[in-house]
Amino acid sequence: MKSIIFKSIIGGSMLALFLLSACKPKGMQTAVQGDAALKAYVAPGQYDEFYNFVSGGFSGQMSVYGLPSGRLFRVIPVFSVDPEKGWGYSEETKPMLNTSHGFVPWDDLHHPALSTTDGIHDGKWAFGNANNTPRIARIDLTTFRTNEIIEIPNSGGNHSSPFITENTEYVVAGTRFSVPMDGKTDVPIESYKENFKGTVSFISVNKDNGRMNIAFQILLPGVNFDLARAGKAKSHGWFFFSCYNSEQANTLLEVNASQKDKDFVMAVNWKKAEEYIAAGKGVKKAVRYAHNVFDESTHTATSEIKTEVLVLDPKDLPGMVYFMPCPKSPHGCDTDPTGEYIVGSGKLAAVIPVFSFTKILAAIDQKNFETEYEGIPVLNYDAVLHGEVTKPGLGPLHTEFDDNGYAYTSFFVSSEIVKWKISDLTVVDRVPTYYSIGHLCVPGGPTKKPWGKYVIAYNKITKDRYLPTGPELAQSAQLYSIEGDKMKLLLDFPTIGEPHYAEAIPAELIKPKSVKIFKLEDNKHPYAALGEKQARVERKGNEVHVYMSSIRSHFVPDNIEGIRMGDQVYFHVTNLEQDWDVPHGFAIKGASNSELLIMPGETQTLLWKPDRIGVFPMYCTDFCSALHQEMQGYIRVSPAASNQPLTFSTGGKKDKPAQ
Ligand SMILES: [Cu+2]
């Protein structure tokens, strides 16, 4: 009965959609078939099959959606402050956004990358890049929180990142903007060709705790690095980067970086780089960058400024770096699940070149070089080519793979996904996207084991798809089934910021490991109140430390007097709950930062500098019980010269003098 009602509702709405779309211009039809909604439907109480980690682009965050439903589960704060979670506002999280430029509360996150073991998603960590002030973040997938951020020196517009090797040995970060370095910073911009250099950075990842460290950088000609993929299986030990602006222009790149028919895909033998480092061939250079780590036992981040980085120069270290010509202004650079094929996607190219790793090794062996580029050998294009996909579409950007030998390439200009066969390079299917697709994602698509099932388009423009919301519309993702011979559109869903790129992973690889509470007995926060009896207020000069506890439905203490103008008041709030999904919030009237959001068993700190004399309410911001609204208190602020004693109390308890 239920399913009959459901089907008739779906049938009715489909009919309405077809009627509505009938008079729209070509290209705006929904193009879905009758069973599409059922295939994307996840019934209430049912779980989705995949987690989809989607970049928030210019929001600086990463968001987590369910697939196939498209339901938004979480926005993970990464590079931007987030008042919803107090990220970047609490004293414990502020150090996470520290950089060599100081506190930078925003960035532009483009590419999520999920950790792999033996080239297969392992569900441990997600990495994300900050384009603007170059940084790489690591998110722990047990807590869905950012646990580490490392700044990248000698870099600008950190676009070509984070891409990871087969066992997450390294995360790489390539610079989009080449920059002057080595202290030669104040140079004329028109001296680009002589003074500007590129770098790619290899960041090691500790396989047990995920801790990152910039292992080395490779010094490169002043081009723009765009994307990258690690080799895998037979090409493990190599990394491939796309680059444009081999013209080395510094103005009007839309014209001046489109002069040459071919730019490059760069192949880096990182095992060779490791050999050179072991042989002492790296040079330590003076730099400044921040390394920020969140400690889950103290619930607190620390930030350290580091001052040197190991640099390798391929001009002096042969056999480590090669260029391959790639038409034209390449964006995507993707390796197939076997590791044999490297797909370049020239956004101005009429073909998709597919390189063969076997042929690359042979060409290197035979020194089959066309030329060299600033001391780096350029391999002969025809010698390394597996072949070209001809007439694929307009504006190829990015390719991912399924588990049946097919590739899926996004086409920005012709707004479509094109499916082609890797072995014979024939196009077998194409579907329109609405509109202007950038990256796409197949669950497991960048790994050795694509999970297949869906391809998701991440689009830049949404006009005509949703109810209008003024001049700006939500950006959008679209879910297509790839289970049959023909791709089928199943669902549109709006996204946060720019859904630049995404990865998807089976829910079963993450869900069983999800943290539900932080155990109070493991709470090593120096200002924790691990029970109501430990709650207290202490003055140290003009600093007042409130050791506060919260549990449904009250704070201890909830009345505080004797705060004076000029005091800096630290509210260290410990959430005593040991129950899943019961955070408490904490906010004070007039506070110039944000709320706190404190997970069960956790301690977080709000710094408040009262700006006037009076009595100020504070309350819990996260609905926690029937008496949530009663979860409140008062703080009295007296003049600086007042001798009002510092006292605190809760309920009928008599005021205790503070220590
Ligand atoms: Cu509450």
Side-chain angles (χ1 to χ4, degrees):
M1 180 66 180
K2 274 180 193 160
S3 71
I4 292 169
I5 293 170
F6 173 69
K7 280 177 184 163
S8 72
I9 292 168
I10 295 294
S13 60
M14 284 302 137
L15 182 64
L17 282 170
F18 282 126
L19 289 173
L20 277 172
S21 60
C23 55
K24 286 185 178 174
K26 189 171 177 289
M28 285 163 55
Q29 288 86 353
T30 57
V32 289
Q33 297 173 9
D35 61 348
L38 273 176
K39 288 196 166 148
Y41 182 68
V42 177
Q46 301 292 307
Y47 288 127
D48 276 282
E49 189 180 354
F50 293 96
Y51 287 98
N52 190 199
F53 292 85
V54 182
S55 90
F58 44 81
S59 82
Q61 319 294 39
M62 198 182 287
S63 47
V64 185
Y65 298 82
L67 295 179
S69 73
R71 299 184 292 203
L72 173 63
F73 295 147
R74 188 149 195 88
V75 175
I76 304 171
V78 186
F79 298 113
S80 299
V81 294
D82 181 2
E84 186 192 29
K85 290 128 193 142
W87 181 255
Y89 294 100
S90 70
E91 293 306 294
E92 287 80 359
T93 57
K94 281 178 184 173
M96 290 301 284
L97 302 180
N98 191 40
T99 73
S100 62
H101 303 271
F103 184 74
V104 177
W106 169 84
D107 221 298
D108 183 12
L109 192 161
H110 273 198
H111 311 113
L114 301 179
S115 57
T116 55
T117 300
D118 192 25
I120 300 169
H121 282 148
D122 58 24
K124 288 186 187 172
W125 306 299
F127 299 88
N129 63 327
N131 270 337
N132 182 56
T133 304
R135 288 172 275 180
I136 299 291
R138 179 175 54 83
I139 294 157
D140 188 314
L141 295 182
T142 65
T143 57
F144 283 60
R145 295 209 293 208
T146 304
N147 269 16
E148 190 174 6
I149 292 180
I150 197 162
E151 191 181 357
I152 311 296
N154 293 328
S155 180
N158 176 37
H159 192 265
S160 181
S161 68
F163 298 97
I164 56 177
T165 52
E166 206 166 275
N167 296 293
T168 320
E169 295 96 334
Y170 293 106
V171 172
V172 303
T175 188
R176 168 177 162 195
F177 302 109
S178 286
V179 289
M181 51 185 77
D182 278 347
K184 279 172 39 180
T185 45
D186 180 18
V187 297
I189 297 168
E190 64 178 15
S191 72
Y192 186 103
K193 286 187 184 181
E194 78 196 80
N195 285 324
F196 287 48
K197 291 288 173 194
T199 56
V200 296
S201 306
F202 281 71
I203 301 154
S204 61
V205 179
N206 181 297
K207 69 179 169 49
D208 298 317
N209 59 20
R211 192 64 73 89
M212 300 190 290
N213 176 47
I214 300 181
F216 62 94
Q217 291 191 315
I218 300 178
L219 188 67
L220 292 160
V223 297
N224 294 41
F225 291 97
D226 205 347
L227 290 173
R229 283 287 183 214
K232 49 173 84 93
K234 64 172 75 167
S235 54
H236 178 60
W238 288 74
F239 228 111
F240 304 95
F241 297 81
S242 62
C243 61
Y244 61 97
N245 194 21
S246 53
E247 297 87 348
Q248 301 191 343
N250 59 279
T251 182
L252 269 185
L253 263 59
E254 61 173 333
V255 178
N256 295 326
S258 307
Q259 301 294 308
K260 294 186 176 174
D261 283 339
K262 292 192 177 74
D263 292 278
F264 300 121
V265 163
M266 180 176 76
V268 173
N269 181 343
W270 58 262
K271 295 273 189 188
K272 193 82 182 166
E274 288 180 338
E275 286 172 22
Y276 280 130
I277 291 166
K281 300 290 189 185
V283 177
K284 285 183 177 163
K285 304 255 184 180
V287 289
R288 277 174 57 78
Y289 65 94
H291 185 191
N292 312 328
V293 178
F294 195 83
D295 180 331
E296 290 288 8
S297 67
T298 58
H299 313 300
T300 302
T302 49
S303 178
E304 183 188 354
I305 295 290
K306 298 198 167 172
T307 53
E308 63 179 29
V309 69
L310 192 66
V311 176
L312 301 177
D313 188 340
K315 285 207 291 292
D316 309 330
L317 306 171
M320 186 173 69
V321 179
Y322 300 91
F323 283 125
M324 304 190 288
C326 182
K328 172 174 187 174
S329 297
H331 188 65
C333 175
D334 298 289
T335 53
D336 86 312
T338 69
E340 168 64 13
Y341 301 110
I342 300 106
V343 179
S345 298
K347 50 194 187 283
L348 302 175
V351 297
I352 301 176
V354 181
F355 302 99
S356 153
F357 182 70
T358 306
K359 291 184 176 182
I360 291 169
L361 289 188
I364 290 171
D365 208 37
Q366 294 153 15
K367 295 197 163 39
N368 191 348
F369 306 145
E370 281 186 11
T371 178
E372 61 170 44
Y373 186 82
E374 296 198 7
I376 295 171
V378 179
L379 300 174
N380 183 295
Y381 179 68
D382 294 320
V384 295
L385 197 67
H386 163 58
E388 292 171 339
V389 182
T390 52
K391 296 190 179 169
L394 298 174
L397 281 186
H398 170 224
T399 301
E400 292 213 343
F401 307 91
D402 69 11
D403 46 348
N404 293 311
Y406 291 98
Y408 301 78
T409 301
S410 57
F411 285 80
F412 178 82
V413 177
S414 52
S415 278
E416 59 185 335
I417 297 173
V418 174
K419 176 180 175 181
W420 50 276
K421 197 168 181 184
I422 301 168
S423 56
D424 65 9
L425 306 172
T426 52
V427 171
V428 296
D429 192 23
R430 55 179 74 234
V431 287
T433 60
Y434 306 95
Y435 303 91
S436 299
I437 179 176
H439 282 259
L440 50 67
C441 156
V442 173
T447 74
K448 275 162 80 174
K449 184 181 176 183
W451 311 101
K453 202 154 182 172
Y454 304 109
V455 62
I456 308 106
Y458 301 94
N459 301 337
K460 310 301 179 192
I461 294 168
T462 319
K463 59 178 74 171
D464 309 317
R465 300 301 285 180
Y466 302 131
L467 284 173
T469 51
E472 189 188 13
L473 303 171
Q475 294 196 22
S476 152
Q478 295 190 292
L479 179 78
Y480 298 80
S481 165
I482 57 171
E483 287 185 296
D485 289 342
K486 295 283 174 192
M487 293 178 277
K488 280 188 197 167
L489 176 61
L490 303 180
L491 180 73
D492 289 3
F493 58 97
T495 59
I496 301 214
E498 185 207 7
H500 190 89
Y501 176 55
E503 286 200 21
I505 185 171
E508 283 309 314
L509 291 177
I510 294 180
K511 183 169 142 283
K513 299 188 277 194
S514 201
V515 166
K516 295 186 168 64
I517 60 165
F518 296 100
K519 286 184 187 157
L520 271 176
E521 61 261 37
D522 296 338
N523 181 331
K524 301 288 185 286
H525 193 293
Y527 290 95
L530 296 178
E532 294 189 349
K533 289 201 174 108
Q534 293 185 14
R536 63 198 187 276
V537 183
E538 292 177 357
R539 176 180 286 284
K540 288 179 191 161
N542 72 339
E543 279 185 12
V544 176
H545 292 270
V546 181
Y547 296 69
M548 182 179 272
S549 67
S550 66
I551 197 163
R552 283 163 286 186
S553 305
H554 60 274
F555 295 103
V556 177
D558 67 6
N559 279 229
I560 300 168
E561 301 190 34
I563 306 286
R564 297 193 289 252
M565 285 298 294
D567 283 347
Q568 301 199 32
V569 190
Y570 292 86
F571 292 91
H572 310 285
V573 185
T574 301
N575 179 349
L576 298 179
E577 305 281 354
Q578 294 285 269
D579 186 0
W580 191 19
D581 196 25
V582 188
H584 288 292
F586 180 74
I588 302 171
K589 182 186 175 187
S592 59
N593 41 12
S594 166
E595 64 155 3
L596 296 177
L597 189 65
I598 314 134
M599 297 302 122
E602 190 182 36
T603 304
Q604 290 286 291
T605 301
L606 193 76
L607 169 59
W608 182 52
K609 298 174 192 170
D611 75 327
R612 63 194 71 176
I613 294 157
V615 174
F616 298 84
M618 48 112 177
Y619 70 104
C620 173
T621 52
D622 193 298
F623 192 97
C624 55
S625 71
L627 297 174
H628 161 73
Q629 195 71 358
E630 283 75 6
M631 194 165 174
Q632 65 174 53
Y634 291 103
I635 306 146
R636 176 180 168 195
V637 177
S638 300
S642 164
N643 41 24
Q644 174 66 38
L646 188 64
T647 59
F648 59 95
S649 65
T650 314
K653 289 176 204 157
K654 201 177 164 195
D655 272 13
K656 290 180 226 170
Q659 288 155 4

